[in-house]
Amino acid sequence: MNKKFPKVYIKIQYEDFDVSKETQKLHHNLTGAIVNFVGLVRGHNENDSEQISSMTLEHYPGMTEAEIDKIVQKSIKKWDLTGITVIHRVGKLFVSDQIVFVGVSSMHRQNAFDACNFIMDWLKTKAPFWKVEENNNHRSWVSSRQSDQEATKKWES
Amino acid sequence: MNKKFPKVYIKIQYEDFDVSKETQKLHHNLTGAIVNFVGLVRGHNENDSEQISSMTLEHYPGMTEAEIDKIVQKSIKKWDLTGITVIHRVGKLFVSDQIVFVGVSSMHRQNAFDACNFIMDWLKTKAPFWKVEENNNHRSWVSSRQSDQEATKKWES
Amino acid sequence: MVIKYFSWIKEHIGKSEERIELPVNVSTIEELMLYLENLNDKYKLAFKKKDLIKIAINKSYSSIDDKINNNDEIAFFPPVTGG
Amino acid sequence: MVIKYFSWIKEHIGKSEERIELPVNVSTIEELMLYLENLNDKYKLAFKKKDLIKIAINKSYSSIDDKINNNDEIAFFPPVTGG
């Protein structure tokens, strides 16, 4: 693997992102495979008990970027990759809006699948973002899920 | 899972595809996660021994769609999904052109990661496509890789 | 029956498709391959590496022992390399 | 030192950030939390469920036993829910 790879891009932003453009930016001469994860605002809260109309995401500026970079650096040690992009939105988002983009490119597909999955699992448990769900009646902070904590265990071996 | 899901779209085509538009089509009301795989034409042949300038893909019309549909139906039995799109290009493609798009949406991310990975692994070993790599001097049919055969073993358990 | 050839098998044989009447004494894929190999050296070369020949009957993967009928569509092709 | 609060901890306390001088006899996160809880009921409520409080010192995850200095940036927040 050439030392100039992987190209890393991490951004916290209010604006939406364009999946095609971000995919295009992950093309490098050695790239054969790109795996993208896109997280969306669902129309229901976590336990599906009620509809939501919007959510607001806040984060800890500086620490968020640093934690995501730590995760990305770990993924680079584990897999040969050509590019990694993590974009996470903050602010007010509506149902079916895009929240997060994690794109990983590599020479061969399994590395891209694994690294993208790894980054998402750790982002879910380490990156300091908090969601508050809103509907007409009230707002409530989302609780962290035990299943997200457990998801990181598959990377321990 | 509502019986109207997942929405399945399978297409073999000469034309390029737009990753943003295909991602958008995978949004459904229950969707929280989308995982996309994009395969690209690499600038080198499989064993990296020489540059290629283009490749041409041929397929077995009718059988290709049927084999991909079998794989998709298997993935639907294994995971709760909201949408599955498989687009595979044929004809002459150039370096860094997009070859294949596999997009899977679901309520939760691990299902989408696993189903996308599963569909790609089986597509690689079952869908009747053949690549011939071309450069100025000659053309050569790509050999199937042992690693692709072995990749499907992880789904046996 | 219709017989289809793909990739380098098609190139060795020099055609992508042909229609033949099921020959007498041919009732399996294996017998069909033997019949074709006896026609000329192009087929012999195409079918030389038996472990690299994949078979489909009516667009479904099949094996060398499978029975065939005169109205079947048979296909011979190398291991697939899409994706 | 700067102390930052996020999510419902911020809302219970009623501010997102404050600057204080490191109090006498406070040298760890745990002692700082005790000091704050004794200020008023807002902090008591915010810090009630100790197992739900995550701590960062200078933007790195830290534990309740970690030492702190007057020029540190401390943060208290609930388990994260991004992605």
Side-chain angles (χ1 to χ4, degrees), chain C:
Chain C
M1 69 194 332
V2 175
I3 313 179
K4 287 173 179 274
Y5 309 103
F6 293 95
S7 182
W8 49 262
I9 295 179
K10 169 188 69 185
E11 293 180 349
H12 284 336
I13 293 173
K15 51 189 152 191
S16 61
E17 181 174 332
E18 61 187 320
R19 284 167 183 277
I20 64 165
E21 286 299 307
L22 187 66
V24 183
N25 298 328
V26 168
S27 67
T28 67
I29 293 286
E30 189 166 27
E31 287 163 3
L32 176 64
M33 290 172 83
L34 263 169
Y35 167 82
L36 293 167
E37 284 176 279
N38 283 327
L39 292 181
N40 66 47
D41 284 352
K42 290 179 175 181
Y43 291 100
K44 262 202 196 82
L45 179 63
F47 291 158
K48 197 176 170 190
K49 295 181 182 168
K50 288 280 186 302
D51 56 327
L52 288 185
I53 311 284
K54 301 291 179 183
I55 301 141
I57 303 177
N58 299 322
K59 302 190 170 82
S60 276
Y61 279 103
S62 303
S63 76
I64 200 163
D65 305 318
D66 283 341
K67 297 274 183 198
I68 52 177
N69 296 303
N70 197 39
N71 55 353
D72 284 337
E73 175 176 301
I74 312 296
F76 295 104
F77 49 81
V80 304
T81 57

Side-chain angles (χ1 to χ4, degrees), chain B residues 38-92:
Chain B
V38 179
L40 305 171
V41 180
R42 293 176 54 211
H44 304 78
N45 65 354
E46 285 291 331
N47 56 23
D48 293 325
S49 62
E50 57 184 54
Q51 302 268 135
I52 68 161
S53 56
S54 63
M55 65 165 51
T56 300
L57 268 141
E58 67 171 49
H59 79 303
Y60 185 176
M63 181 167 173
T64 316
E65 294 86 344
E67 283 299 316
I68 293 173
D69 191 59
K70 281 181 197 169
I71 298 164
V72 165
Q73 296 307 321
K74 276 183 202 164
S75 77
I76 291 171
K77 281 195 188 135
K78 288 173 78 81
W79 296 286
D80 267 352
L81 306 171
T82 57
I84 303 170
T85 296
V86 179
I87 300 172
H88 203 298
R89 293 176 72 191
V90 289
K92 187 158 186 164

Side-chain angles (χ1 to χ4, degrees), chain A residues 126-140:
Chain A
K126 290 291 186 183
F129 293 100
W130 303 274
K131 284 173 184 157
V132 58
E133 290 174 338
E134 296 138 354
N135 63 23
N136 296 333
N137 306 313
H138 67 281
R139 56 201 287 284
S140 65

Side-chain angles (χ1 to χ4, degrees), chain A residues 13-143:
Chain A
Q13 62 187 39
Y14 286 89
E15 304 75 40
D16 199 7
F17 48 81
D18 183 296
V19 176
S20 284
K21 283 186 191 150
E22 296 308 327
T23 302
Q24 192 65 39
K25 287 185 208 158
L26 288 162
H27 289 213
H28 300 291
N29 185 43
L30 296 169
T31 303
I34 299 177
V35 173
N36 293 332
F37 176 87
V38 179
L40 305 171
V41 180
R42 292 176 55 210
H44 304 78
N45 65 354
E46 284 290 332
N47 55 24
D48 294 324
S49 62
E50 58 185 55
Q51 303 268 133
I52 68 161
S53 56
S54 63
M55 65 164 51
T56 300
L57 269 142
E58 67 171 51
H59 79 302
Y60 185 175
M63 181 167 173
T64 314
E65 293 85 345
E67 284 298 316
I68 293 173
D69 191 59
K70 282 181 197 169
I71 297 164
V72 165
Q73 295 307 321
K74 276 184 202 164
S75 76
I76 292 170
K77 282 196 186 133
K78 288 173 79 81
W79 297 285
D80 268 353
L81 307 171
T82 58
I84 302 171
T85 296
V86 179
I87 300 172
H88 203 298
R89 294 176 71 192
V90 289
K92 186 157 186 164
L93 301 174
F94 295 88
V95 173
S96 115
D97 276 357
Q98 301 183 133
I99 304 172
V100 58
F101 176 88
V102 175
V104 176
S105 65
S106 64
M107 294 169 71
H108 298 298
R109 73 184 181 285
Q110 197 57 47
N111 285 350
F113 271 115
D114 289 342
C116 188
N117 197 342
F118 174 93
I119 291 169
M120 268 312 298
D121 280 351
W122 285 105
L123 185 150
K124 276 268 178 188
T125 61
K126 290 291 186 183
F129 293 100
W130 303 274
K131 284 173 184 157
V132 58
E133 290 174 338
E134 296 138 354
N135 63 23
N136 296 333
N137 306 313
H138 67 281
R139 56 201 287 284
S140 65
W141 290 96
V142 174
S143 302

Side-chain angles (χ1 to χ4, degrees), chain B residues 31-42:
Chain B
T31 304
I34 299 176
V35 172
N36 293 332
F37 176 87
V38 179
L40 305 171
V41 180
R42 293 176 54 211

Side-chain angles (χ1 to χ4, degrees), chain D residues 9-21:
Chain D
I9 295 178
K10 169 189 69 184
E11 292 181 350
H12 285 335
I13 293 172
K15 50 190 152 191
S16 62
E17 181 173 333
E18 61 187 318
R19 285 168 184 278
I20 65 166
E21 286 299 307

